[in-house]
Amino acid sequence: MLAVIRIQLGNLPPLLADMVVALLGGPAAAEVVGRSGEGEDPIAAARAAAADLVVVTRPEPGEPLLAMLDVDQLAVLALPAAGDGSTDTGRLLQLGGSDIRLDRGVLGRLAARLSHSAGAAG
């Protein structure tokens, strides 16, 4: 049985967003938990909705999200801020990008990657 992926749709026009849902397998395989409006931060909206996946169009040059989408491999260790009382715990983020084929099988491949990532993090 295929896991249902919770999707936050970012800066997509409504018609394109509906096409993305159909491409990802339709309502049985993908639950749309939110749609970001113009100027709204899709990452913040996805966190608020507990989404597994954020779908956005590639940003224009100069937008901050573009730098993150261009990353192939990067690890970031965030140290605690001075004075926050917690000096023994940092936060490790591992970013890795790869191109994926956009077809009807993409949802199964994404579900496998997301469940593997969640298992490795735990």
Side-chain angles (χ1 to χ4, degrees):
M1 183 174 133
L2 188 62
V4 175
I5 294 181
R6 297 173 51 83
I7 298 174
Q8 173 72 30
L9 297 172
N11 57 345
L12 305 177
L15 181 59
L16 181 56
D18 293 340
M19 292 169 54
V20 166
V21 172
L23 175 71
L24 294 177
E31 176 187 1
V32 175
V33 295
R35 295 175 188 246
S36 300
E38 186 69 31
E40 185 179 357
D41 180 354
I43 303 298
R47 292 182 69 197
D52 300 311
L53 177 68
V54 180
V55 180
V56 296
T57 58
R58 281 199 179 264
E60 297 294 322
E63 292 186 40
L65 190 57
L66 184 62
M68 184 177 78
L69 293 177
D70 285 339
V71 168
D72 287 326
Q73 189 72 23
L74 178 66
V76 178
L77 177 59
L79 300 176
D84 74 355
S86 172
T87 58
D88 62 346
T89 305
R91 177 86 172 157
L92 178 63
L93 305 172
Q94 294 177 305
L95 305 175
S98 62
D99 294 331
I100 61 168
R101 184 175 185 84
L102 298 176
D103 58 20
R104 297 265 312 154
V106 70
L107 190 63
R109 294 190 303 273
L110 287 173
R113 280 189 185 184
L114 292 172
S115 65
H116 174 72
S117 296

